[in-house]
Amino acid sequence: MSRPFRIGLTGSIGMGKSTTAGMFAEEGVAVWDADAAVHRLYGRDGAAVVPMKELRPDAIVDGAVSRERLKLWIAGDDAALGRIEAVVHPLVAEDRNRFAREATAPVLLFDIPLLFENGSDRWMDLTVCVSTSVREQRRRVLEREGMTAAAFERILSKQMPDAEKRARADRIIDTTTLDSARAGVREVMKDVETRLA
Ligand SMILES: CC(C)(COP(=O)(O)OP(=O)(O)OC[C@H]1O[C@@H](n2cnc3c(N)ncnc32)[C@H](O)[C@@H]1O)[C@@H](O)C(=O)NCCC(=O)NCCS
Ligand SMILES: Nc1ncnc2c1ncn2[C@@H]1O[C@H](COP(=O)(O)OP(=O)(O)OP(=O)(O)O)[C@@H](O)[C@H]1O
């Protein structure tokens, strides 16, 4: 049996990855979310706890990796995020590969914020970028509890520019409204169904 069709979904912070991935799930697509995998890895008994404790003992609170402690470290040390990624990304890739091995759906979607940055686009059959205006992106992200303009800018500086992601992706879904996103999802699914026919 040929392996399932793999869609790589990406987009910068607040562009609508999770919401759009949910729309693909409504079409019967099995979805894997990298950020959710990181939450599992950071949780108590998560596979990242021991290696992160070795890397940065004060990052562990109540047996789990504390994001607040990580953010304090990142804010004070330019090398911190790269060192965290070196520990976490291989564990995220293992989680992704296990999902792909065990999945039974004909179409899989991988919601990966760093799809192009970490080269996992090469593993996909089709790449999709979600995007809207900078203004709408900023409005959405600054709405979040505890988010500041400085934190938003810092995260953006760590991500490939939206324009480059749009240029590299096979398809772009406009997430300015729920209707535009849903129409984009349907278009991609029509294309995938044609390829699988
Ligand atoms: C930096 C951390 C502590 C911030 O946690 P917090 O809960 O405040 O934010 P959250 O995880 O929701 O991320 C906010 C936004 O930043 C993005 N982001 C997360 N990690 C990174 C990264 N290493 N580089 C660029 N963007 C990132 C997320 O996709 C999201 O768009 C956390 O994101 C983290 O531990 N990141 C390192 C692990 C990683 O690289 N994850 C991305 C897997 S593809
Ligand atoms: N198509 C859309 N139309 C209107 N609002 C949307 C749309 N997609 C997402 N949003 C809103 O934008 C915000 C961010 O959406 P979402 O969490 O899906 O983005 P994300 O890219 O996964 O974010 P992050 O990168 O931070 O994880 C949410 O408040 C969501 O309700």
Side-chain angles (χ1 to χ4, degrees):
M1 177 245 190
S2 65
R3 66 159 172 75
F5 189 88
R6 298 174 190 152
I7 301 172
L9 179 75
T10 196
S12 296
I13 180 168
M15 287 296 199
K17 291 181 296 299
S18 310
T19 304
T20 308
M23 294 176 181
F24 276 98
E26 286 164 8
E27 304 276 338
V29 174
V31 172
W32 179 83
D33 175 337
D35 283 339
V38 174
H39 276 277
R40 287 196 297 277
L41 291 167
Y42 283 2
R44 294 173 67 87
D45 307 324
V49 173
V50 168
M52 286 299 284
K53 186 169 185 164
E54 280 160 27
L55 174 67
R56 182 83 177 183
D58 82 350
I60 309 303
V61 174
D62 297 336
V65 177
S66 157
R67 289 162 178 265
E68 291 323 307
R69 293 289 177 86
L70 292 184
K71 285 189 275 189
L72 281 174
W73 180 23
I74 291 165
D77 175 349
D78 282 347
L81 188 54
R83 296 179 66 195
I84 293 165
E85 289 176 344
V87 168
V88 173
H89 284 188
L91 296 172
V92 171
E94 266 174 46
D95 189 285
R96 184 198 67 200
N97 294 337
R98 183 166 52 251
F99 165 82
R101 270 197 311 277
E102 293 169 358
T104 53
V107 183
L108 310 181
L109 181 127
F110 298 84
D111 172 352
I112 304 178
L114 304 182
L115 182 75
F116 292 121
E117 289 91 332
N118 64 27
S120 38
D121 58 307
R122 292 194 295 268
W123 194 71
M124 305 296 169
D125 297 307
L126 187 75
T127 58
V128 177
C129 175
V130 291
S131 183
T132 185
S133 66
V134 172
R135 191 182 140 87
E136 171 62 2
Q137 174 194 28
R138 190 178 182 81
R139 185 195 64 74
R140 292 172 179 177
V141 177
L142 293 185
E143 246 176 10
R144 293 174 188 177
E145 180 69 28
M147 180 54 78
T148 63
F152 174 56
E153 295 305 332
R154 184 166 44 247
I155 289 167
L156 268 192
S157 71
K158 301 279 185 191
Q159 298 187 341
M160 179 185 286
D162 173 58
E164 192 176 339
K165 289 180 183 165
R166 279 185 286 120
R168 289 179 61 168
D170 298 315
R171 294 282 182 287
I172 296 167
I173 290 182
D174 172 9
T175 59
T176 305
T177 67
L178 293 173
D179 286 346
S180 63
R182 211 164 275 123
V185 169
R186 268 200 301 275
E187 254 182 63
V188 169
M189 287 310 292
K190 262 204 313 244
D191 179 9
V192 170
E193 279 143 20
T194 310
R195 292 169 182 229
L196 291 180

